[in-house]
Amino acid sequence: MSNQEEHDRLLQVEWREKVIPNLGGSQWIRVYQPGRTGLPEQVGFFCGLIPNANVLTSLQTYEWDVYIGEGVPGFMQSFDETGNCQTLYDRYGHLKHSIEPLVIVRSFHGLRPDEIEIAEEFRFFHNLFLDHDNKTYVKYDESGDIIPVVRMSDNFVDIRRKYIRQFLAVKEMTLVLYFERMYFSVKSLEQLDVEEDYEQFTSDNFTFNFIVRDNPVRWNGLQSQSWILGKTIIKGIPIEKCDFWPFEEEKQYEEFIIGVDDDDESIAYTSNPDELADYFGKNRHAPHYLTSVFFGRKVLAKYYNEPQIYSVDDGFLWCGGKWTLRMDNSHLNYVVVFLGDLGRDLPHKEQLHWKRYNVPPDGRMSETYFRRSFLNQPAEPEDSALRFRDAYSRFSRCWREESGWDLFKPLSEADSHHLTTLHRPFTSESSELDRLVLSLSKLLVDSTNVRKIKNEIPDFEIKDTRGIKKKSLTILEEYLVQRDFVDSGNYIECLRIVQDIRSASAAHRKGRKFQRVSKSVGLDSRTTQQIADEIFNTLTDFLDSLRKHFCPNGSD
């Protein structure tokens, strides 16, 4: 390294001219970092919240108003004019300028590692929860997506600037960001042609002190050092823009295709419910609130892929308790939603997602949705997967009530998505059939309650003539035969086909066995949707027949 480069580093030119004036200008702000981080450079950060009225007083000095480890509850003492001592408790330990901590470092005096805390009020205000695995405080946005807000480690804390500024706005406070940087050089001031200097720099937003001198200790051959110590401020946004009630931003509404004109050009209209017609004369010349809007079925893939956040049920899409959308997902080719529901129920970010899959109207809504929505009549779904899921739940409930045990053991929480995300394939990709048969196998084959069944048929030989244990489907079939269940063989054969597809495709590499299985089920001549429909329909009949045979008096 040249003398000029080392000269500039010792004088901390880049920090003084570029870094400090731009602190707080990025999306993430480092609000904590212990200063003793290594050689030849040591950088430290800390922060505090100060009332807006006290900012100018704080900026009169470069010294920190609060140091790492401070900001915890404690007592303070003061003396009045007569010399009497008063002892008072203070939540933040009597910090200067009425400062409040945003980051608190708790020390246990070497008996255990220090712990870094984020102020409770900040966490509660933004409704943050801790992702322990990633040491990150996160929140759900209006659409249910996870937003990282605080990133932590043992050596730093970064907070997303937007959420700090929102917090500052409602508290009428300013963030004071404290910083220090030391640089050590193996060369002396004389070698670098640098004079010893002590100087303070001040602007409207920051102040810092700069020292450059010969190193008084000179360990490890470090002959000179420089030190920056100071603070900068980060202000809150205007309270009107904080996006918290009653200052929430006005909701945006997307336009969706509701038809085509004589030139086959798409006709789109806003989904804002306040601008749509109703049955009481509002906006008479506008499209009706209940105008059908069509979407490709793949619009639901996002929600099936994140079952920990979303639930796709018969006629409804749920994002926990944040939002719900009524929809026609019984339609075999599309998902249909009323125009007004899109605007009323979906956050704007979700509207943008749905808009990507919006297509011109093609026919009408499903008979199921029409009867439910306009005739107020109960109706079974037309979608084969939805009908299977409903039959599975009804059978499981009735069997348990009737017998006191489960014919198909309930899935563990880790496997529960195999039922809740079960759906007709969106495409003809074989991977979709792989996922489908894997889930069906989990539900009906792997979960067969062999132990309980064997108790019900104690005379049944569970091993064949070669001493090999019989498989669960063989045991289930024998149980059904002994209980006079008609057509058990046809249904068990369907389950064996599911197992064969899984074994030949989903669980192993696709080889000759897969070719044989695909030919037997007609994969070479039928779409995956057609095969899925046949499997779902057969297994739905199986579950309904089981329920009627074994639980004739059970709840439906």
Side-chain angles (χ1 to χ4, degrees):
M1 183 182 301
S2 68
N3 263 23
Q4 184 59 47
E5 290 176 320
E6 187 67 1
H7 171 277
D8 291 346
R9 290 193 176 199
L10 183 63
L11 292 180
Q12 305 205 37
V13 173
E14 184 176 5
W15 256 71
R16 289 193 293 162
E17 295 181 357
K18 296 180 180 180
V19 176
I20 293 175
N22 292 296
L23 284 174
S26 58
Q27 182 182 8
W28 290 88
I29 299 176
R30 178 143 300 181
V31 294
Y32 165 75
Q33 179 176 308
R36 304 297 180 256
T37 54
L39 293 174
E41 175 188 58
Q42 296 181 344
V43 179
F45 291 99
F46 203 49
C47 69
L49 305 176
I50 189 169
N52 293 338
N54 296 344
V55 171
L56 292 179
T57 303
S58 174
L59 286 177
Q60 289 177 1
T61 174
Y62 61 86
E63 295 178 335
W64 292 14
D65 307 300
V66 56
Y67 289 90
I68 295 173
E70 294 184 325
V72 297
F75 289 99
M76 56 168 287
Q77 288 185 330
S78 62
F79 294 87
D80 58 23
E81 296 178 352
T82 62
N84 293 321
C85 178
Q86 292 182 317
T87 301
L88 300 173
Y89 170 81
D90 190 276
R91 179 178 178 182
Y92 302 121
H94 189 55
L95 299 177
K96 298 178 182 178
H97 311 309
S98 300
I99 285 180
E100 298 179 13
L102 181 59
V103 178
I104 300 170
V105 181
R106 301 173 59 204
S107 173
F108 302 94
H109 312 290
L111 300 177
R112 59 168 291 130
D114 292 352
E115 292 187 3
I116 303 171
E117 306 277 356
I118 306 300
E120 179 184 73
E121 185 180 3
F122 181 81
R123 291 185 284 114
F124 286 5
F125 176 75
H126 286 297
N127 198 25
L128 306 180
F129 65 93
L130 181 60
D131 178 351
H132 291 274
D133 293 337
N134 296 309
K135 291 187 176 181
T136 303
Y137 278 103
V138 300
K139 69 175 297 179
Y140 289 111
D141 69 4
E142 61 173 5
S143 295
D145 293 331
I146 289 180
I147 306 298
V149 176
V150 181
R151 301 186 302 207
M152 305 173 61
S153 79
D154 295 337
N155 296 313
F156 72 85
V157 174
D158 293 341
I159 302 181
R160 200 181 288 268
R161 182 181 61 183
K162 170 185 175 180
Y163 298 95
I164 292 179
R165 298 189 69 207
Q166 287 177 321
F167 189 58
L168 295 173
V170 300
K171 286 181 66 68
E172 298 183 344
M173 300 185 84
T174 297
L175 180 79
V176 183
L177 183 63
Y178 305 103
F179 55 86
E180 70 168 336
R181 183 178 188 266
M182 288 187 179
Y183 185 80
F184 298 87
S185 177
V186 295
K187 296 183 178 181
S188 66
L189 296 185
E190 182 178 355
Q191 289 175 302
L192 296 174
D193 194 23
V194 173
E195 295 184 0
E196 188 173 289
D197 190 18
Y198 300 82
E199 190 173 358
Q200 182 170 346
F201 298 84
T202 302
S203 77
D204 293 338
N205 295 319
F206 63 81
T207 182
F208 66 91
N209 190 58
F210 174 73
I211 298 174
V212 59
R213 63 184 180 181
D214 283 319
N215 186 5
V217 180
R218 298 196 179 189
W219 77 95
N220 293 332
L222 300 174
Q223 299 192 57
S224 58
Q225 72 168 134
S226 59
W227 184 21
I228 287 175
L229 183 68
K231 64 184 74 168
T232 188
I233 61 171
I234 299 167
K235 298 179 180 179
I237 59 177
I239 186 68
E240 297 81 8
K241 297 182 179 180
C242 72
D243 201 22
F244 280 82
W245 186 90
F247 305 106
E248 292 172 301
E249 294 182 2
E250 185 175 349
K251 185 174 181 178
Q252 300 179 59
Y253 298 93
E254 288 299 310
E255 292 185 346
F256 292 92
I257 300 171
I258 60 173
V260 293
D261 60 21
D262 293 338
D263 296 323
D264 292 325
E265 295 293 330
S266 296
I267 301 172
Y269 206 84
T270 180
S271 57
N272 185 347
D274 294 334
E275 299 183 24
L276 300 176
D278 61 16
Y279 289 117
F280 304 99
K282 185 176 76 171
N283 302 319
R284 293 183 178 182
H285 300 292
H288 199 280
Y289 182 103
L290 299 178
T291 300
S292 294
V293 184
F294 284 65
F295 302 89
R297 288 183 59 82
K298 206 168 183 180
V299 68
L300 298 179
K302 164 186 174 179
Y303 307 109
Y304 280 120
N305 289 335
E306 298 185 75
Q308 70 279 11
I309 298 177
Y310 305 104
S311 299
V312 184
D313 295 331
D314 178 14
F316 289 92
L317 170 62
W318 309 81
C319 176
K322 292 187 75 69
W323 54 266
T324 304
L325 179 69
R326 295 183 301 173
M327 63 179 178
D328 177 10
N329 58 336
S330 269
H331 199 292
L332 296 183
N333 301 313
Y334 302 100
V335 177
V336 185
V337 185
F338 294 135
L339 179 60
D341 284 349
L342 289 165
R344 185 192 67 178
D345 298 333
L346 286 181
H348 182 248
K349 188 163 71 171
E350 292 306 304
Q351 293 178 32
L352 294 173
H353 168 72
W354 281 72
K355 192 170 183 176
R356 291 173 52 203
Y357 298 91
N358 189 196
V359 298
D362 183 9
R364 52 173 292 175
M365 69 184 69
S366 69
E367 181 69 20
T368 295
Y369 203 61
F370 176 78
R371 289 172 57 188
R372 291 174 179 176
S373 300
F374 292 97
L375 304 182
N376 197 27
Q377 295 177 348
E380 287 192 354
E382 298 171 32
D383 180 281
S384 60
L386 293 176
R387 290 198 306 110
F388 170 83
R389 286 166 54 179
D390 179 61
Y392 179 89
S393 298
R394 284 190 295 166
F395 166 75
S396 299
R397 182 173 60 253
C398 291
W399 182 282
R400 192 179 303 112
E401 291 175 355
E402 184 77 16
S403 64
W405 55 281
D406 297 293
L407 183 63
F408 303 111
K409 294 179 289 186
L411 297 175
S412 66
E413 183 176 351
D415 277 337
S416 61
H417 66 277
H418 284 290
L419 176 62
T420 59
T421 65
L422 200 58
H423 62 276
R424 291 179 74 242
F426 297 127
T427 68
S428 292
E429 292 290 332
S430 61
S431 59
E432 292 211 58
L433 187 61
D434 289 350
R435 287 192 290 268
L436 185 153
V437 297
L438 177 61
S439 293
L440 289 174
S441 295
K442 287 270 188 179
L443 288 164
L444 298 175
V445 181
D446 299 351
S447 297
T448 299
N449 200 339
V450 174
R451 183 175 64 83
K452 282 288 187 179
I453 291 175
K454 288 191 295 186
N455 292 338
E456 296 291 317
I457 49 173
D459 296 333
F460 178 66
E461 293 291 336
I462 64 171
K463 294 184 179 180
D464 61 19
T465 56
R466 296 171 296 174
I468 300 175
K469 285 186 177 181
K470 296 177 180 177
K471 295 183 178 181
S472 59
L473 289 181
T474 301
I475 297 173
L476 175 61
E477 183 177 18
E478 178 64 24
Y479 172 73
L480 297 178
V481 169
Q482 290 195 23
R483 292 297 183 270
D484 300 321
F485 181 69
V486 181
D487 291 331
S488 60
N490 293 333
Y491 296 129
I492 296 298
E493 181 60 27
C494 180
L495 287 175
R496 287 198 171 102
I497 290 174
V498 168
Q499 273 292 82
D500 286 344
I501 298 175
R502 175 192 179 184
S503 175
S505 177
H508 300 95
R509 293 179 59 183
K510 294 179 173 63
R512 291 181 179 178
K513 184 177 181 180
F514 172 73
Q515 293 174 357
R516 291 196 301 270
V517 172
S518 63
K519 185 176 181 179
S520 68
V521 299
L523 191 58
D524 54 344
S525 59
R526 295 191 296 171
T527 66
T528 55
Q529 290 95 335
Q530 290 173 327
I531 295 173
D533 284 337
E534 182 177 317
I535 293 174
F536 279 133
N537 290 334
T538 301
L539 295 180
T540 298
D541 289 343
F542 176 44
L543 294 170
D544 285 341
S545 298
L546 283 175
R547 178 170 50 83
K548 293 173 183 177
H549 182 80
F550 289 95
C551 318
N553 300 317
S555 60
D556 198 350

